[in-house]
Amino acid sequence: MGGLMSKSGNINEYYVESVLDAVGETPMVKLQRSTTSGVNVLVKLEMQNPGGSVKDRIAKSIIEEAEKAGTITPGKTTIIEATSGNTGIGVAMAAAAKGYKCIIVMPQLSPFYERFITCRKFGAEVHLTAPAKGMPGMLAYVEDLMSKDKTIWCTQQFKNPDNPKAHLDTTGPEIWRQCRGKVDYLVAGVGTGGTLNGVGNFLKGKNKNLKVIAVEPTESRVLVGNAHEKHSVLGIGAGMQVKFIEELAPGQEFKEGPRGMVDEFLHASSGESCDWADKLSRQEGLLVGPSSGCAMKVAADIAARPEAQGKTIVVILASSGIRYVNHPLLWTEVKNEAVKALPMIPDVSPEPLLKWQSEK
């Protein structure tokens, strides 16, 4: 493997100047056992970013572009973001690496346990809001804090153009290079819409026949005009008609059918998403979260179409499954087994030698 480029412009095989220089250039893996034969399904492993998700890319891009513009300064600016978790972790990591104070705003829900701990370990404050208020409530809380303290600056992942720019500049070109210019479908979940916008625009510019597939939870199909309902696919399906999708076809109604560069708006339920996350771990050795499972369920359905034979489908896998241990659906069976296998008061007697055997 070749050396990495440092900020000084020199190739160095052994290290990069900052953890943020290690963001990007994530691997692409061909699935072997879980999808239809005759279709080349490639997954982009965004959990291999140093903060553990695709959101590291936008955290780096947004903060560094703001620094170039002179908008923020370490030691003077406090960075804030409202998040379902992965962006918050990326922002907290970047803030720690650059010396900024940081506030992360999340809903007070038990599935956010790992996100809470990770952001705190990066030194960020974490403010927890009423879950019933959803993302709009978190954003309102952030605006209120900013109105009271002018040193607080928000990364604004849902509005900042440096979000899709990160993917236009990095993720898209990486995919094109890794696929050697052969990509027929792009499948990506929509949280802010930045990944789909940036990657989709780059790849469509290279191949006008590329099919771009936007994915959201079945329970929250707001991108086609349906109502938002509670779901368990953390990271996507925020319940808002997001700017980065709207700007692909300005003024057009959010409804079924193609819109702008998006060819199809497809979906998978919370249960299907978690089932596919489990399937990828057991059949492909890929430990992923529910939003990745959601995208994979849709990709598998596309792969099963007759017209997909001989085609290449690229799927963005946004984050690692280890971040979802407290998820109500994803880890329940294994967690229940672990409680029995690893009692709080261990059996320290020397016999029998084998104390527990998991199910086959």
Side-chain angles (χ1 to χ4, degrees):
M1 183 174 178
L4 296 172
M5 184 79 74
S6 71
K7 286 185 177 178
S8 63
N10 296 318
I11 294 293
N12 194 307
E13 292 180 329
Y14 304 107
Y15 66 88
V16 290
E17 298 292 339
S18 160
V19 66
L20 297 181
D21 294 328
V23 172
E25 295 297 339
T26 54
M28 185 88 80
V29 172
K30 180 178 178 178
L31 298 187
Q32 299 291 336
R33 302 179 55 217
S34 58
T35 59
T36 305
S37 62
V39 183
N40 194 31
V41 180
L42 305 178
V43 293
K44 184 77 163 149
L45 303 187
E46 288 299 292
M47 72 286 285
Q48 299 288 51
N49 282 302
S53 86
V54 67
K55 298 297 188 176
D56 291 358
R57 294 182 186 263
I58 70 170
K60 174 183 178 179
S61 172
I62 290 171
I63 291 171
E64 292 189 345
E65 290 300 320
E67 287 178 328
K68 290 175 187 176
T71 304
I72 60 175
T73 305
K76 295 181 180 180
T77 306
T78 297
I79 299 175
I80 193 169
E81 181 57 275
T83 172
S84 63
N86 285 326
T87 300
I89 290 171
V91 169
M93 177 190 72
K98 288 177 170 288
Y100 289 95
K101 291 182 179 179
C102 183
I103 300 172
I104 300 301
V105 180
M106 301 181 196
Q108 191 181 41
L109 291 167
S110 60
F112 289 78
Y113 178 84
E114 294 85 6
R115 292 160 172 72
F116 180 95
I117 289 176
T118 306
C119 289
R120 292 294 289 141
K121 288 295 288 183
F122 280 132
E125 292 182 29
V126 177
H127 296 195
L128 301 177
T129 58
K133 297 288 188 179
M135 183 58 74
M138 288 191 282
L139 294 173
Y141 178 76
V142 167
E143 290 177 6
D144 182 59
L145 286 186
M146 292 174 66
S147 71
K148 296 173 181 175
D149 186 346
K150 299 304 180 184
T151 68
I152 298 178
W153 174 83
C154 185
T155 46
Q156 294 189 340
Q157 62 168 322
F158 284 91
K159 297 180 180 179
N160 196 315
D162 293 320
N163 173 344
K165 181 179 184 296
H167 299 292
L168 183 70
D169 291 347
T170 67
T171 323
E174 287 172 29
I175 289 170
W176 187 252
R177 186 180 70 251
Q178 289 168 319
C179 294
R180 295 176 172 84
K182 180 173 171 49
V183 188
D184 300 295
Y185 295 87
L186 169 69
V187 180
V190 176
T192 66
T195 302
L196 191 84
N197 182 312
V199 177
N201 270 313
F202 181 87
L203 294 179
K204 280 270 193 180
K206 293 291 187 178
N207 174 14
K208 62 182 176 55
N209 295 317
L210 174 86
K211 302 296 184 184
V212 174
I213 314 298
V215 178
E216 55 187 337
T218 302
E219 302 91 334
S220 182
R221 300 198 66 206
V222 298
L223 300 183
V224 295
N226 293 357
H228 169 75
E229 297 179 6
K230 292 181 181 179
H231 62 86
S232 300
V233 189
L234 276 67
I236 64 173
M240 303 185 299
Q241 294 183 344
V242 289
K243 166 185 166 63
F244 299 131
I245 298 300
E246 193 280 331
E247 68 183 21
L248 297 175
Q252 289 191 25
E253 182 183 357
F254 278 59
K255 62 180 182 178
E256 294 277 10
R259 192 163 68 248
M261 72 167 185
V262 180
D263 296 278
E264 294 184 77
F265 291 86
L266 301 180
H267 59 98
S269 70
S270 295
E272 290 170 331
S273 300
C274 292
D275 287 346
W276 265 93
D278 282 339
K279 188 171 185 177
L280 285 178
S281 64
R282 294 175 184 274
Q283 295 187 9
E284 301 286 354
L286 295 170
L287 191 63
V288 300
S291 68
S292 297
C294 192
M296 262 310 308
K297 168 62 168 67
V298 167
D301 289 346
I302 293 170
R305 297 173 181 175
E307 66 268 25
Q309 281 293 304
K311 303 292 187 179
T312 295
I313 302 172
V314 170
V315 190
I316 305 294
L317 301 187
S319 59
S320 170
I322 200 64
R323 193 162 281 174
Y324 302 89
V325 173
N326 268 28
H327 191 281
L329 299 179
L330 194 57
W331 287 77
T332 303
E333 183 180 344
V334 175
K335 284 169 62 180
N336 290 340
E337 182 184 27
V339 169
K340 298 175 183 177
L342 302 167
M344 292 296 293
I345 300 175
D347 177 1
V348 295
S349 62
E351 301 293 340
L353 175 61
L354 179 64
K355 299 293 186 181
W356 178 268
Q357 181 175 327
S358 62
E359 298 177 5
K360 294 182 180 179

